[in-house]
Amino acid sequence: MRFAPLLLAALALTTATAWPVVAAAPGGHVGGGHHEHGHPQRSEKQHEHQPKKAANSQSGEGHHHADGHKTDRTWKSRSFPQDKIKHVVVLMLENRAFDHMCGWLGKWIPGVAGLTGNEYNVANGTRYYVNDTSPYVGAFDPDHSVKGTTLEVMGMTQRWINPEPMSGFAEHHWKKQEPHFDQVMHGFSPDRVPAISTLAKNFAVFDRYYASLPGPTYPNRMYFLTGTSYGMTDNDIIDYLPGLPQKTIMKVLDDNNITWRNYFTDLPDMLLLKEMRTLQNLKNLRFFDDFMKDAAAGDLPAFSWVNPRFIPTFTDPAQDQHPDHDVVLGEKVIAQLYDALRSSPVWNHTAFVVTYDEHGGYYDHVAPPEDNVPNPDGMVAPDGFNFTRLGLRVCHVVASPWIPAGTVVHEPATAPAHRYEHQSTFQTLRHLYGFDDILTNRTMFAASYDHVFSLESPRTDAPMTLPTPSDFDKPAAYKRLAEEQSRKPPNALQRELFAVAEAAAGVAMGDITQGRHIKTQGELAVEAKKLIQRAVWDKVDGHRKP
């Protein structure tokens, strides 16, 4: 390991802060950036800008769930009618804030705490308003490091303000001289992302679900799978190469004789974890195509973790919705998975979860909670960050025939003692499957959402398929997109996953390349496939090989 995270006493951690706490200045912007009653159609120059307190269009704070059910207040596992949910399938996509993907859902679903169109940030004296015309492929990859996110939510300061003014997104990226920096304020209308929007409309959408920390991909994915990032706040791959050692969801499931699989297309992110590189766990890896066959055969495990395609090949585009990749392909993988589940013989016992790892640097108007967030395991990052802040909201949708259509879930009834965050799915698994194991302090902080499966019998009126944008329905357009993406230089996320595959394949630490010699994403995909052959299939006797 490059560093050894510092250990502090658990009691001290519950009250410590990463930066000094200051109150919002009088007249400062609180709870969602800037708001106005008017809705300008373009940015407008501010000559004498006078800050005012933001007024959210939907309060949502402290309310019960929209379906009228209160969350279980005991916060320990309990017996759940297992004739309801026997299969939980999770798809985690990349780097998109709630307001970016789902902020305009109010056009379709009453009660969602989304955007009004009056929210804005100021950069260089100009107001930049939110809108629903975001391009499917971003002009740049917005900053979503812990330091960058702090500037975005705190209004260009590293001081810890509670609540966060959410006013630094545009200015931060303007100062970074990013092309079309104002795209961080833009999002999608429901009709432009019809797969996730239709899923939300027909089942349950959470408008107060937060990433586990205000930072990037790997730490947040680790919080989902293990309840901690093991003291890490960034994607510095040196720290991940040996494999992180903490206890995982998968280990708990194994200990309780509950089945699981990691379905993937190119690179399984579970290889970030040391215990996932053992032969016993490698046997639970499957290709994405295997998921489609298993769903059709009714042979799904109790927990499925599905990875989209992170690296485009010369014939198939990436699906992860990382900002340099097309959102449309993520829409299509959402629809592909749902359609397979909806026609599966196990649909009536299935919950399908679509979520995002973190906000990706995009604007959200709701200030993340800062109170009562526990440090998971006593570790503190080298820069002093102590993991007592949540990240920004991300769009979290749960589909099941046991959920009433149009369900909107706000804060849990027990907030602020508990919140919806990345450990909420593990907490829900505890309730669904009746085991008592916990992973970290965050497990018991996270609210379960088993209450959304509230119907007495499964619905029969759920759509059989989801609509998707039509941009790449024609094979020629799909092929052109794959060729275009495959010619781009590899992004940081891809190089980091490639390095993890190198380590898992047995490449010596001093020989890890991160694919630095590889110039294009398409070439990286070819080499990544070879590494996965060595890291996984060569070690799994009798498993189907590619």
Side-chain angles (χ1 to χ4, degrees):
M1 286 288 181
R2 180 175 57 88
F3 67 87
L6 302 176
L7 298 179
L8 295 182
L11 179 60
L13 283 168
T14 60
T15 57
T17 58
W19 288 278
V21 178
V22 298
H29 304 278
V30 178
H34 308 271
H35 299 248
E36 273 196 353
H37 295 295
H39 184 188
Q41 299 301 310
R42 58 182 174 82
S43 300
E44 69 185 64
K45 192 71 175 179
Q46 265 194 193
H47 298 291
E48 295 184 2
H49 174 64
Q50 295 296 324
K52 61 182 179 180
K53 193 170 183 177
N56 292 341
S57 59
Q58 307 287 345
S59 64
E61 304 292 342
H63 288 187
H64 296 332
H65 305 302
D67 60 5
H69 289 73
K70 294 183 180 181
T71 306
D72 177 12
R73 294 176 182 271
T74 63
W75 299 106
K76 63 180 182 179
S77 62
R78 59 176 173 77
S79 177
F80 186 87
Q82 291 195 12
D83 58 341
K84 280 192 174 184
I85 303 299
K86 299 180 181 180
H87 311 281
V88 176
V89 178
V90 179
L91 170 68
M92 177 174 276
L93 295 166
E94 283 284 311
N95 294 36
R96 306 280 173 169
F98 182 93
D99 278 346
H100 181 67
M101 292 300 300
C102 295
W104 300 95
L105 273 177
K107 295 180 178 181
W108 283 18
I109 309 170
V112 175
L115 297 166
T116 66
N118 301 325
E119 299 86 357
Y120 64 92
N121 273 190
V122 176
N124 194 29
T126 300
R127 295 181 182 183
Y128 291 91
Y129 284 85
V130 297
N131 65 50
D132 59 4
T133 62
S134 176
Y136 284 126
V137 181
F140 64 100
D141 184 7
D143 187 4
H144 46 283
S145 64
V146 170
K147 288 185 177 180
T149 301
T150 302
L151 292 173
E152 292 162 3
V153 304
M154 301 299 180
M156 298 307 292
T157 178
Q158 290 291 335
R159 295 180 300 164
W160 199 4
I161 303 170
N162 188 3
E164 305 95 328
M166 311 301 286
S167 58
F169 293 83
E171 186 176 5
H172 177 45
H173 292 95
W174 171 72
K175 288 187 174 180
K176 287 174 66 68
Q177 299 183 331
E178 297 287 3
H180 306 289
F181 65 89
D182 58 316
Q183 285 183 6
V184 297
M185 303 297 295
H186 302 173
F188 298 96
S189 58
D191 60 295
R192 296 185 61 227
V193 283
I196 195 168
S197 300
T198 301
L199 203 66
K201 182 179 180 180
N202 281 275
F203 301 102
V205 60
F206 291 65
D207 64 9
R208 287 297 192 279
Y209 180 101
Y210 304 91
S212 291
L213 82 160
T217 290
Y218 294 149
N220 274 295
R221 284 182 176 265
M222 292 303 95
Y223 264 90
F224 195 104
L225 294 173
T226 72
T228 176
S229 62
Y230 202 66
M232 298 174 188
T233 58
D234 57 29
N235 286 348
D236 192 331
I237 203 59
I238 294 174
D239 300 316
Y240 295 87
L241 292 181
L244 295 180
Q246 63 262 39
K247 189 175 181 179
T248 69
I249 287 179
M250 292 68 69
K251 178 64 165 62
V252 170
L253 296 178
D254 281 338
D255 289 347
N256 288 276
N257 298 313
I258 298 171
T259 57
W260 64 271
R261 292 176 197 146
N262 179 190
Y263 294 93
F264 73 100
T265 305
D266 46 19
L267 293 171
D269 63 354
M270 280 191 180
L271 292 180
L272 290 161
L273 295 158
K274 186 175 182 179
E275 72 177 37
M276 291 299 104
R277 301 178 189 179
T278 65
L279 180 60
Q280 175 186 348
N281 289 317
L282 291 176
K283 290 179 179 179
N284 286 331
L285 297 182
R286 298 287 191 277
F287 286 122
F288 184 91
D289 289 347
D290 291 326
F291 178 88
M292 310 306 288
K293 296 174 183 177
D294 291 349
D299 183 30
L300 290 175
F303 177 69
S304 298
W305 177 252
V306 184
N307 293 143
R309 183 182 297 107
F310 293 107
I311 308 176
T313 69
F314 295 110
T315 56
D316 292 296
Q319 305 164 317
D320 59 351
Q321 292 188 339
H322 196 273
D324 61 336
H325 295 150
D326 203 301
V327 166
V328 172
L329 273 297
E331 280 278 287
K332 290 189 179 297
V333 80
I334 291 171
Q336 190 176 6
L337 291 171
Y338 173 82
D339 296 356
L341 291 170
R342 182 64 180 89
S343 60
S344 171
V346 299
W347 165 248
N348 279 349
H349 303 288
T350 297
F352 177 38
V353 179
V354 177
T355 193
Y356 288 80
D357 57 351
E358 37 95 358
H359 77 298
Y362 288 101
Y363 172 78
D364 193 79
H365 78 281
V366 173
E370 298 181 20
D371 299 323
N372 303 306
V373 181
N375 177 285
D377 51 14
M379 291 187 177
V380 177
D383 64 359
F385 185 81
N386 65 4
F387 304 96
T388 59
R389 282 171 50 196
L390 291 178
L392 279 72
R393 293 189 308 168
V394 293
C395 197
H396 187 83
V397 178
V398 182
S400 171
W402 298 93
I403 299 175
T407 296
V408 178
V409 184
H410 306 306
E411 292 282 20
T414 52
H418 305 96
R419 303 284 186 179
Y420 294 116
E421 60 116 88
H422 284 331
Q423 268 289 283
S424 287
T425 295
F426 179 66
Q427 182 68 272
T428 301
L429 292 176
R430 295 175 73 245
H431 284 229
L432 295 180
Y433 298 147
F435 56 85
D436 292 320
D437 308 58
I438 65 171
L439 292 171
T440 69
N441 294 332
R442 283 293 185 92
T443 302
M444 302 312 291
F445 169 74
S448 171
Y449 51 83
D450 62 295
H451 60 89
V452 301
F453 308 109
S454 60
L455 296 177
E456 295 298 321
S457 60
R459 291 166 49 198
T460 59
D461 63 343
M464 292 301 299
T465 61
L466 294 180
T468 61
S470 60
D471 298 49
F472 305 109
D473 287 347
K474 295 182 178 179
Y478 183 86
K479 182 180 179 181
R480 281 196 303 272
L481 178 64
E483 292 173 347
E484 177 186 327
Q485 287 186 356
S486 64
R487 289 193 296 266
K488 292 181 177 180
N491 63 41
L493 175 69
Q494 293 166 339
R495 291 196 185 279
E496 289 151 0
L497 278 173
F498 186 87
V500 169
E502 287 182 298
V507 176
M509 293 299 151
D511 296 329
I512 298 292
T513 70
Q514 296 189 50
R516 285 187 294 268
H517 59 292
I518 299 174
K519 296 182 179 180
T520 69
Q521 294 187 23
E523 294 170 314
L524 195 75
V526 172
E527 296 304 314
K529 184 176 181 180
K530 297 176 183 177
L531 288 172
I532 293 302
Q533 175 68 43
R534 291 164 53 191
V536 179
W537 310 126
D538 286 350
K539 298 177 182 179
V540 180
D541 183 34
H543 194 282
R544 187 198 76 182
K545 296 184 178 181

